[in-house]
Amino acid sequence: MNECAFCAIEAGELPSLVVQETETTISFLDHRPLFPGHVLVIPRIHHDTIEDLPTPQLIAVFEVVQRMSIAVRSAMDAPGTFIATNTVISQSVPHFHVHVVPRRRGDGLRGFFWPRQPYDDDAHAESVRSLIADALASA
């Protein structure tokens, strides 16, 4: 069996409640959902994080995520969805995946929301903006 749980699901070695399969992705119900209708979308080919995913696969995954968001809202009669992914920190399975979670006002979901860390001042904000812009330019 694969060491990666999601690769094992992709290979049919672990059971899952598959919602949709495409040539490049598999979408299935999270076995520990935040709310009923919580779906995970994964690329079939293993990549640890979003940074590792080749752009064509990234596009394919997020095309499915977009359609899944619409379907989850409709199927679960939810006014919205929360779409999230982690890289390394809090990533329970080291295989890139996207959570599509139905949302309703007052549903109590707080686990994805963290305390805000404001900038010290405008100069601090500009310094951070510049660091990120420079990292983009050299990437």
Side-chain angles (χ1 to χ4, degrees):
M1 181 182 297
N2 287 301
E3 288 184 31
C4 171
F6 289 170
C7 286
I9 287 172
E10 194 280 331
E13 298 169 354
L14 277 179
S16 65
L17 295 172
V18 173
V19 175
Q20 181 189 47
E21 294 188 53
T22 71
E23 185 177 315
T24 57
T25 66
I26 298 177
S27 303
F28 52 92
L29 294 182
D30 191 310
H31 77 285
R32 296 181 313 140
L34 294 170
F35 304 112
H38 179 168
V39 174
L40 300 177
V41 178
I42 67 167
R44 287 185 178 272
I45 297 172
H46 182 97
H47 295 281
D48 286 354
T49 67
I50 193 169
E51 292 95 342
D52 304 324
L53 205 62
T55 301
Q57 279 192 305
L58 180 69
I59 292 167
V61 167
F62 276 94
E63 285 176 344
V64 171
V65 167
Q66 182 184 44
R67 288 194 313 270
M68 193 60 62
S69 178
I70 294 166
V72 165
R73 284 181 62 188
S74 176
M76 304 311 298
D77 195 27
T81 58
F82 180 70
I83 297 169
T85 187
N86 284 303
T87 57
V88 183
I89 306 301
S90 296
Q91 188 179 11
S92 57
V93 177
H95 182 127
F96 174 68
H97 57 285
V98 180
H99 298 262
V100 180
V101 181
R103 294 295 315 271
R104 292 173 180 75
R105 288 201 188 283
D107 60 17
L109 183 60
R110 302 234 189 283
F112 285 108
F113 301 103
W114 305 278
R116 303 291 176 148
Q117 302 290 323
Y119 297 104
D120 297 333
D121 52 31
D122 290 345
H124 181 214
E126 173 54 29
S127 172
V128 170
R129 185 214 60 80
S130 179
L131 287 170
I132 295 169
D134 290 349
L136 282 169
S138 64

